Amino acid sequence: MSELIHVAVKYRALLLNGARVTLIVSLLTILFGLFFGVLMAFLKMSKVKALRALANIYVEFIRGTPVLVQIFLVYYGLPLMGVEIPSIVVAGFDISRILSGTLALVINTTAYVCEIVRGGIESIDYGQTEGALALGMSPARAMMAIVFPQAMKNILPSLGNEFITIIKTSSQISVIGIADLMYTADTIRGISFKPMEPLIIVALIYFLMTFVISFMLRQAEKRMRKGYAR
Amino acid sequence: MEEKSIISIRKLTKNYGSASVLKGIDLEVQKGEVVAVIGPSGSGKSTMLRCINAMEQLSGGDILLNGESIRQMKKLPRLRQKVGMVFQHFNLFPHMTVLKNVMYAPVTVRGELKPKAEEYAMELLKKVGMYEKRDAYPATLSGGQKQRVAIARALAMKPEVLLFDEPTSALDPEMVGEVLTVMKQLAKTGMTMIVVTHEMGFAREVADKVVFMDEGIVMESGSPQQVFEETENERVKAFLAKML
């Protein structure tokens, strides 16, 4: 135990930096994954067959391949396609270093969020849409004001799980040299010659992050449920 | 005075793939008229009703609203503001209170001012006897109460015609009466109503015109007296014998 605290204190700067990278990557992934996932869900429910097919292929491919492969594909693929990532400094932090890893995670998350959102929307009885349309609402308003808020209630728990998965999955971007929490564990193991302690510390930090998220989501769910009973 | 049809259905047909549900319906509805559409299940009653506010696409023929073809109408929301609908399963919005259910569309779709829409919504809720429940959520209401709110919600858009798609079919028997009472009151105010129903008592007592549909056509239509008492049509007789 004292050994654990000793390692944690000694390498606190490294650990904090790793935690910061993991947090930034995860938050960016959640944000953009949510945005593109919702977009992809609407593509998948589109009336245009080509769009639907496109979304289907995307989701099936991403869900059917390991995230590790996706991370490498993006990491080596971007330069091959001639994409050069400029140096973007936000709050003293160079985003460009984490960009390709984050992009891979966003690509991955988009597929899962898409399925969650689509499932939630399709779980709402079509009568709700009809009721809205019959009152003269446009299809867009019927979706945004009537169907989507109800779907949110069904979506939220699965979305919470997805957020937690993202934090855990983000550890895999350490393979392309991004100094996240997992990478930090390896670094500390290398310089301290202690195999276990860094891993345990890092595991605890990961757990703290996921626990906070699941707690917040539980609160949000409670608040939504209070709104109206079923 | 020449009577003008508010709704005029002409040779309306509707197919689902190769299945033909409506095989040429003709029907005139005058302003202020209450039309009851009766007939066995699967006869196309609901489908016809749903064509009138374009919830279903027409396969052939046409429907005129005040002389204007609904096929030509590019803006379906405009049509649906004039032709309201009450559903078998209410379709109230569960995430809104009773009052919000009633005033949401007038405010967002018609662009009415909130205080004015609220005042009118309250008035309508009083009319259907649901004023006390204005702050309740639909989940806490009985079926009959839900349907009365749904009627108020449809009325809030100030429609010219109100379509009822089996409004009492999903209700427990003891709640049918309260909904029919509201509909009777509505009929007395001169509202134009087209009611698909299995309530023969309502059709006989309240309707100005009764339409009997079977296998996608109008088999008989006329006053309640003509359809219920004087019909020569064997199919109509057989159906009525089962229902009464």
Side-chain angles (χ1 to χ4, degrees):
Chain A
M1 188 65 196
S2 67
E3 202 49 27
L4 215 54
I5 293 167
H6 176 71
V7 171
V9 172
K10 188 169 179 192
Y11 300 104
R12 62 184 181 282
L14 274 174
L15 286 166
L16 273 176
N17 194 54
R20 191 170 67 145
V21 170
T22 288
L23 264 183
I24 291 173
V25 169
S26 300
L27 284 178
L28 285 175
T29 304
I30 287 172
L31 216 68
F32 286 99
L34 198 58
F35 177 76
F36 289 113
V38 171
L39 217 65
M40 190 64 69
F42 282 110
L43 278 192
K44 215 177 161 178
M45 294 182 294
S46 157
K47 278 183 188 149
V48 184
K49 212 174 173 182
L51 293 179
R52 256 188 351 246
L54 205 73
N56 260 321
I57 292 168
Y58 179 88
V59 170
E60 289 308 318
F61 181 77
I62 295 300
R63 292 203 306 175
T65 50
V67 68
L68 202 53
V69 175
Q70 292 162 10
I71 289 169
F72 278 125
L73 275 177
V74 172
Y75 182 63
Y76 291 116
L78 279 184
L80 278 181
M81 287 189 298
V83 181
E84 270 185 50
I85 298 166
S87 177
I88 312 162
V89 180
V90 177
F93 185 83
D94 190 353
I95 298 273
S96 62
R97 287 192 53 85
I98 61 160
L99 207 80
S100 90
T102 308
L103 183 62
L105 289 177
V106 169
I107 288 172
N108 182 268
T109 302
T110 295
Y112 288 95
V113 170
C114 165
E115 284 305 276
I116 291 169
V117 170
R118 187 187 59 89
I121 286 176
E122 285 179 356
S123 72
I124 303 301
D125 180 25
Y126 187 66
Q128 289 293 311
T129 305
E130 286 200 325
L133 293 179
L135 287 166
M137 290 185 213
S138 64
R141 184 181 289 283
M143 174 55 73
M144 294 324 292
I146 305 302
V147 176
F148 200 69
Q150 295 182 56
M152 254 337 265
K153 213 178 68 156
N154 299 348
I155 290 171
L156 209 59
S158 323
L159 218 48
N161 284 337
E162 182 57 26
F163 290 167
I164 288 164
T165 305
I166 288 170
I167 292 181
K168 294 185 294 181
T169 309
S170 75
S171 65
Q172 305 209 36
I173 60 170
S174 59
V175 296
I176 53 168
I178 295 176
D180 74 337
L181 206 47
M182 187 61 209
Y183 187 93
T184 307
D186 280 340
T187 307
I188 298 174
R189 284 166 73 194
I191 51 184
S192 69
F193 301 110
K194 291 191 170 73
M196 280 301 284
E197 285 82 358
L199 283 175
I200 294 173
I201 293 166
V202 162
L204 287 174
I205 299 176
Y206 274 117
F207 178 71
L208 189 72
M209 290 182 190
T210 55
F211 185 78
V212 167
I213 288 219
S214 62
F215 177 79
M216 275 163 33
L217 279 155
R218 233 176 299 139
Q219 296 303 312
E221 270 173 58
K222 251 189 225 161
R223 214 173 320 128
M224 286 191 101
R225 208 167 317 136
K226 234 180 13 195
Y228 60 100
R230 233 176 223 263
Chain B
M1 196 179 84
E2 190 194 347
E3 271 189 306
K4 214 172 139 226
S5 296
I6 187 163
I7 282 181
S8 174
I9 302 178
R10 299 192 175 161
K11 299 192 176 53
L12 170 66
T13 60
K14 174 71 188 173
N15 311 317
Y16 290 108
S18 60
S20 168
V21 183
L22 300 178
K23 301 169 186 164
I25 303 282
D26 287 288
L27 182 65
E28 299 289 323
V29 180
Q30 317 307 329
K31 198 165 171 41
E33 208 171 26
V34 176
V35 177
V37 184
I38 60 172
S41 307
S43 57
K45 309 181 296 280
S46 288
T47 307
M48 179 202 67
L49 198 72
R50 292 163 56 81
C51 284
I52 300 176
N53 67 345
M55 298 304 269
E56 302 281 350
Q57 274 192 340
L58 320 187
S59 301
D62 205 352
I63 298 175
L64 308 182
L65 173 68
N66 291 321
E68 193 188 348
S69 162
I70 70 165
R71 276 176 174 261
Q72 310 302 323
M73 291 186 193
K74 285 282 166 282
K75 290 189 172 155
L76 293 181
R78 292 288 300 280
L79 162 70
R80 288 167 181 155
Q81 288 174 45
K82 291 179 192 159
V83 184
M85 190 169 214
V86 174
F87 298 87
Q88 181 178 356
H89 294 288
F90 331 122
N91 298 348
L92 292 180
F93 307 134
H95 59 307
M96 297 180 182
T97 62
V98 164
L99 182 63
K100 184 109 190 271
N101 261 280
V102 178
M103 60 182 279
Y104 184 77
V107 171
T108 57
V109 179
R110 283 173 63 103
E112 283 180 23
L113 292 174
K114 257 189 176 168
K116 221 178 144 200
E118 188 173 306
E119 195 182 316
Y120 189 53
M122 301 265 214
E123 189 185 315
L124 288 169
L125 285 173
K126 272 178 198 157
K127 263 188 196 156
V128 300
M130 290 300 295
Y131 179 73
E132 273 68 40
K133 292 275 189 185
R134 63 189 177 280
D135 292 325
Y137 282 91
T140 62
L141 305 179
S142 73
Q145 290 174 324
K146 281 182 197 169
Q147 196 61 299
R148 284 187 280 150
V149 173
I151 292 171
R153 183 177 72 171
L155 287 173
M157 290 300 284
K158 301 179 178 140
E160 295 178 31
V161 185
L162 204 45
L163 311 174
F164 290 83
D165 189 4
E166 305 200 21
T168 57
S169 296
L171 300 179
D172 291 334
E174 73 267 25
M175 289 164 188
V176 171
E178 61 188 75
V179 171
L180 290 181
T181 306
V182 167
M183 288 169 64
K184 274 179 212 167
Q185 283 168 4
L186 195 56
K188 271 185 208 143
T189 66
M191 186 75 205
T192 311
M193 297 160 63
I194 306 176
V195 186
V196 170
T197 186
H198 291 290
E199 294 296 325
M200 293 304 132
F202 177 82
R204 189 198 289 254
E205 194 185 325
V206 182
D208 302 301
K209 183 195 254 176
V210 177
V211 174
F212 179 87
M213 279 178 68
D214 197 7
E215 295 180 356
I217 59 167
V218 173
M219 284 213 167
E220 182 83 273
S221 96
S223 67
Q225 170 86 7
Q226 283 168 325
V227 173
F228 285 105
E229 323 287 343
E230 299 160 6
T231 183
E232 296 297 325
N233 189 313
E234 289 305 322
R235 293 288 272 282
V236 182
K237 279 187 188 170
F239 175 76
L240 291 174
K242 250 185 283 171
M243 294 300 290
L244 298 175

